[in-house]
Amino acid sequence: NAGVTQTPKFRVLKTGQSMTLLCAQDMNHEYMYWYRQDPGMGLRLIHYSVGEGTTAKGEVPDGYNVSRLKKQNFLLGLESAAPSQTSVYFCASSLLTRAGVINEQFFGPGTRLTVL
Amino acid sequence: AQSVTQPDIHITVSEGASLELRCNYSYGATPYLFWYVQSPGQGLQLLLKYFSGDTLVQGIKGFEAEFKRSQSSFNLRKPSVHWSDAAEYFCAVGPFGNEKLTFGTGTRLTIIP
């Protein structure tokens, strides 16, 4: 199993450009998440999904959109990139057990995005 | 709303010395608690988790953590650190039945010879 993979690993954008980050997991997990990590701020949840075709806003959703058309993929889009979106982006997934317990989240290796 | 505080931004420890990283949480009921480790340039890896039962939990790489309800704490410990333990450590909390975790701001661990 590859676990959680993210594409691309690095990207440099100019202000106003758009891009899509791809997250894929091969563990058949129901839940998927997008975080951003900034120095001194830990991980902040951008958007998440509790299943195919569903998405929900997290703590810092502004400027981002997401889609979960297939269970194994979760896409994060930036329609018009801004320098404030320079960050490291992590995708994660987790499994919902039959008892309703949310297990730990499994993380991808991250995408380092710079917006000039 | 739940919250997590990691009061130590940066800790330096000598190789072979013991380690304790602090984590305090705020939540009304019994939370689900996690410790993750992030090596430079890498994603987060789960060290250990607490859901219920024995309040002392063992994790990977020789780490353990103790849940203390009275102190709202979930501190991470290791008896003897190795140079490879140098990384950033994150504590996270999530309530039962909620799919979202709240992460602390992290503690960066430096190991000196």
Side-chain angles (χ1 to χ4, degrees):
Chain A
N1 286 351
V4 179
T5 58
Q6 294 182 231
T7 308
K9 290 185 170 52
F10 302 94
R11 186 72 185 268
V12 178
L13 290 179
K14 294 181 179 179
T15 297
Q17 288 184 319
S18 64
M19 77 163 294
T20 300
L21 281 67
L22 171 63
C23 175
Q25 53 94 4
D26 60 1
M27 298 174 284
N28 202 34
H29 286 174
E30 288 84 3
Y31 294 158
M32 296 187 74
Y33 312 82
W34 276 108
Y35 293 91
R36 59 177 291 171
Q37 183 180 33
D38 303 290
M41 305 192 74
L43 275 78
R44 293 182 292 169
L45 183 64
I46 304 171
H47 286 280
Y48 65 103
S49 168
V50 301
E52 181 179 324
T54 72
T55 62
K57 294 180 179 180
E59 182 185 354
V60 289
D62 294 342
Y64 305 95
N65 57 77
V66 288
S67 64
R68 183 114 181 255
L69 298 180
K70 295 181 179 181
K71 186 177 184 178
Q72 63 268 35
N73 296 337
F74 195 30
L75 279 62
L76 178 70
L78 287 73
E79 291 186 347
S80 179
S84 60
Q85 294 177 304
T86 293
S87 187
V88 181
Y89 291 86
F90 288 99
C91 177
S93 70
S94 65
L95 179 67
L96 173 64
T97 69
R98 292 181 180 177
V101 172
I102 309 299
N103 280 300
E104 69 268 19
Q105 295 180 14
F106 293 80
F107 283 80
T111 295
R112 185 174 295 275
L113 175 66
T114 301
V115 183
L116 302 176
Chain B
Q2 69 238 30
S3 66
V4 178
T5 301
Q6 293 182 248
D8 303 306
I9 296 173
H10 185 204
I11 285 182
T12 299
V13 176
S14 298
E15 189 169 13
S18 64
L19 170 70
E20 182 169 29
L21 302 182
R22 296 183 291 166
C23 173
N24 294 98
Y25 68 90
S26 173
Y27 181 63
T30 300
Y32 286 78
L33 293 158
F34 305 83
W35 273 101
Y36 284 85
V37 61
Q38 183 182 30
S39 298
Q42 303 296 314
L44 279 71
Q45 179 186 20
L46 181 72
L47 282 176
L48 46 80
K49 60 187 178 184
Y50 171 77
F51 285 170
S52 64
D54 193 346
T55 56
L56 183 64
V57 294
Q58 302 297 321
I60 62 172
K61 305 185 181 186
F63 285 92
E64 67 177 25
E66 186 171 13
F67 170 61
K68 293 185 177 180
R69 184 191 303 273
S70 61
Q71 299 178 17
S72 297
S73 69
F74 189 56
N75 294 349
L76 182 70
R77 301 193 295 248
K78 187 170 185 178
S80 176
V81 298
H82 185 262
W83 64 266
S84 60
D85 293 325
E88 188 148 22
Y89 292 79
F90 292 92
C91 182
V93 63
F96 177 81
N98 187 306
E99 60 274 4
K100 295 186 288 183
L101 294 182
T102 298
F103 286 83
T105 51
T107 297
R108 183 160 63 92
L109 176 64
T110 298
I111 308 295
I112 57 176

